[in-house]
Amino acid sequence: MEEKRRIVKLIEGVKKELSRFNIPYVTEVSEKTRDPFRVLVSCLLSLRTKDEVTARASQRLFQMADTPEKLSSLPVKTIERLIYPVGFYRVKAKTIKAICRELVKRYNSRVPDTVEELVKLKGVGRKTATLVVSMGYGRPAICVDTHVHRITNRWGIVSTGSPHQTELSLYRVVPERYWIELNTLLVAFGQNVCKPISPHCSECGVRRYCPQIGVGKKR
Ligand code: SF4
């Protein structure tokens, strides 16, 4: 099968299965609010944290402060209390406050809309930046996290050693119409089917298009 067609079959196949899975919380925030600031803060909270915990912490935090001005004026201790028990809540409270200050001071309280500007904020990596651009602003960008990196390598549509390389390779092979949603699709798929260890290949809807590269033990 022609490679371009195979890639479309893989992505469309995952899309068909999506209704069976919970969608990632940050996607929900993006769909409900269309607010880049909320997407940025919930993404920072979600790192190394379960989705349910991120959801509750974000809601508590946004009830108290939903703009960079309001959030930057909260004491760090208050932010810690509101976001507990997300992973690394102390570090995240400090980071979020510092980012909000920067946004107020340097960006007129507006979240930047390019990856290049976003990564200048201390604590914002490429993954968060591409998520804000794609989910927050609805602009074509591919957010590559551990799920996107692992699955696209298993599919053999990239052959890369780091998420950044994966992102650059994916821009060349994935049709642009899928760039924004690719992260949502593969996070949900990666949490439920194509898991890091022992993926559920025998009941996977896209197995006929997948060469299972690097997969050892599987179910
Ligand atoms: S066949 Fe296995 S490795 Fe391939 S996408 Fe499905 S679960 Fe992942």
Side-chain angles (χ1 to χ4, degrees), residues 10 14 151 154-155 189 193-195 199-213 215 218-219:
L10 283 161
V14 171
I151 297 168
R154 282 177 174 172
W155 285 353
F189 185 61
V193 181
C194 195
K195 297 184 176 185
H200 296 266
C201 299
S202 63
E203 51 192 68
C204 170
V206 299
R207 67 183 178 280
R208 55 192 284 224
Y209 308 110
C210 174
Q212 302 178 9
I213 291 169
V215 174
K218 58 188 173 188
R219 283 176 268 193

Side-chain angles (χ1 to χ4, degrees), residues 30-214:
S30 141
E31 285 174 357
K32 278 193 188 145
T33 68
R34 300 274 166 225
D35 178 359
F37 178 66
R38 287 187 193 232
V39 171
L40 170 63
V41 175
S42 0
C43 180
L44 293 166
L45 290 176
S46 75
L47 306 172
R48 307 236 182 169
T49 302
K50 287 205 168 115
D51 247 20
E52 316 82 79
V53 177
T54 305
R56 284 196 292 273
S58 304
Q59 281 150 12
R60 283 194 299 274
L61 186 62
F62 294 141
Q63 256 171 21
M64 196 83 164
D66 59 358
T67 63
E69 292 92 341
K70 289 183 198 163
L71 228 163
S72 64
S73 64
L74 289 182
V76 171
K77 280 280 166 212
T78 308
I79 303 176
E80 278 180 13
R81 187 172 46 76
L82 290 166
I83 66 174
Y84 179 84
V86 299
F88 307 99
Y89 67 97
R90 288 207 173 96
V91 179
K92 285 181 185 171
K94 265 197 212 127
T95 305
I96 288 171
K97 177 161 171 128
I99 287 175
C100 288
R101 275 203 179 139
E102 279 291 292
L103 291 177
V104 173
K105 232 169 57 190
R106 289 182 201 273
Y107 295 93
N108 206 14
S109 297
R110 191 176 181 272
V111 174
D113 58 4
T114 63
V115 173
E116 293 67 29
E117 276 307 308
L118 280 157
V119 293
K120 289 183 188 163
L121 296 165
K122 204 164 168 260
V124 175
R126 223 180 147 82
K127 186 187 112 175
T128 302
T130 46
L131 202 69
V132 170
V133 170
S134 57
M135 297 278 182
Y137 283 104
R139 303 216 175 128
I142 302 179
C143 171
V144 175
D145 68 349
T146 169
H147 296 289
V148 177
H149 177 59
R150 179 182 72 255
I151 297 168
T152 53
N153 272 280
R154 282 177 174 172
W155 285 353
I157 68 174
V158 298
S159 176
T160 51
S162 73
H164 190 195
Q165 285 171 356
T166 301
E167 186 195 333
L168 301 181
S169 299
L170 286 174
Y171 288 130
R172 291 195 288 271
V173 296
V174 170
E176 191 175 321
R177 64 182 185 278
Y178 295 119
W179 289 4
I180 294 176
E181 65 185 329
L182 194 68
N183 180 273
T184 301
L185 294 174
L186 297 193
V187 170
F189 185 61
Q191 286 169 344
N192 292 278
V193 181
C194 195
K195 297 184 176 185
I197 297 164
S198 197
H200 296 266
C201 299
S202 63
E203 51 192 68
C204 170
V206 299
R207 67 183 178 280
R208 55 192 284 224
Y209 308 110
C210 174
Q212 302 178 9
I213 291 169

